[in-house]
């Protein structure tokens, strides 16, 4: 009888993508939050900007490759590069 | 004649807030992104979750105090703690 060991390596990398409006673009959501924070008593809060935060897993174990794949996703789908910037972090 | 020097110190701390849906909560936006990524040719992408990312400046120079203020903001306004988790980073 032979024993077969399956080496079940997890090959996924977690990718974190932060998408923010460019600073020249008006952010009405951010302004609404800023005003509401002031209304409920939080003083001294400025420059509120709301963006998107996307987590995903890529079946890739090379973090450079995962990053360039995520960059392509941002360019093609996740971000509107006319008005938005994006930043990519690779987790584990 | 006396010269008056105004020490114009910047007392603001930048606060980064990440708001994510709890893992037990369905995320239709994330699912839509996952499906669209597959449709346009990105294979091996899983577990896509979309959250919010909020940047703000607090007029505070103590990062512990800024963090606890931001925590209160999350509890009271920024996050829906029934279905969302939040994470706070203090920048500079």
């Amino acid at each position: 009888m032979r024993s077969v060991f399956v080496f079940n390596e997890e090959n996924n990398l977690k990718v974190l993508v932060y998408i923010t409006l460019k600073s020249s673009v008006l952010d009405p959501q951010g302004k609404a939050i800023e005003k509401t924070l002031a209304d409920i008593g939080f003083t001294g809060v400025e420059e509120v900007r709301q963006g998107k935060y996307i987590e995903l897993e890529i079946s890739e174990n090379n973090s450079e490759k995962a990053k360039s794949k995520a960059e392509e996703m941002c360019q093609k789908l996740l971000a509107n590069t006319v008005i938005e910037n994006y930043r990519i972090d690779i987790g584990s």
Side-chain angles (χ1 to χ4, degrees), chain A:
Chain A
M1 186 187 149
R2 289 201 325 173
S3 293
V4 178
F5 293 95
V6 179
F7 189 54
N8 195 6
E9 199 186 11
E10 187 65 75
N11 271 327
N12 283 0
L13 274 176
K14 192 160 189 171
V15 178
L16 314 178
V17 181
Y18 310 90
I19 298 166
T20 48
L21 282 170
K22 290 185 177 172
S23 55
S24 58
V25 178
L26 283 178
D27 179 4
Q29 264 185 308
K31 283 287 164 214
I33 294 172
E34 195 171 317
K35 190 185 173 308
T36 308
L37 284 172
D39 288 349
I40 63 175
F42 290 100
T43 54
V45 181
E46 287 172 7
E47 301 288 337
V48 182
R49 310 278 292 173
Q50 176 165 346
K52 284 183 278 186
Y53 169 63
I54 298 169
E55 290 180 350
L56 48 90
E57 283 184 18
I58 299 185
S59 59
E60 178 67 69
N61 51 18
N62 177 313
S63 64
E64 279 308 306
K65 280 189 194 164
K67 193 162 186 172
S68 85
K69 219 169 175 179
E71 185 128 3
E72 207 186 327
M73 289 178 203
C74 285
Q75 292 282 346
K76 288 194 179 163
L77 178 73
L78 304 180
N80 175 349
T81 54
V82 178
I83 56 167
E84 290 172 330
N85 292 322
Y86 58 86
R87 184 162 60 81
I88 297 164
D89 275 353
I90 304 294
S92 56

